[in-house]
Amino acid sequence: MQWISWHRPMLTSKITDLIDRILECWCDEHGHHTGSVEARRKANSLLQWIELGVTDERELSDLIRDDIVIGAQ
């Protein structure tokens, strides 16, 4: 198997604010605290999607709402 190496984007305040907004909405909808295990799992998933180049807020929100994950770590 051949590995593909992507350059990770820098975590700017724009990206962290995006993650915070999406995560806060998801937590409100599902009754979780932002520091919960499930919220951390969603934040990790968001970060992985962003690293793959997905930066649209609506698309990212849909991905975590539908629980679409890249893979188990």
Side-chain angles (χ1 to χ4, degrees):
M1 177 187 300
Q2 184 178 10
W3 289 95
I4 299 173
S5 176
W6 274 279
H7 295 288
R8 291 182 175 195
M10 286 182 40
L11 285 179
T12 63
S13 62
K14 182 179 177 180
I15 292 174
T16 57
D17 290 346
L18 173 68
I19 292 171
D20 287 344
R21 265 194 319 275
I22 295 169
L23 193 59
E24 189 172 314
C25 287
W26 183 87
C27 286
D28 287 346
E29 290 171 4
H30 293 87
H32 292 283
H33 296 287
T34 54
S36 70
V37 172
E38 188 64 20
R40 286 192 303 255
R41 189 178 77 78
K42 293 296 184 177
N44 186 46
S45 181
L46 283 171
L47 191 54
Q48 288 176 337
W49 282 113
I50 290 169
E51 287 175 348
L52 286 176
V54 180
T55 57
D56 180 72
E57 188 165 346
R58 173 174 261 150
E59 188 174 0
L60 289 166
S61 295
D62 290 344
L63 288 167
I64 67 162
R65 277 191 188 99
D66 296 339
D67 204 26
I68 300 173
V69 294
I70 294 171
Q73 294 275 333

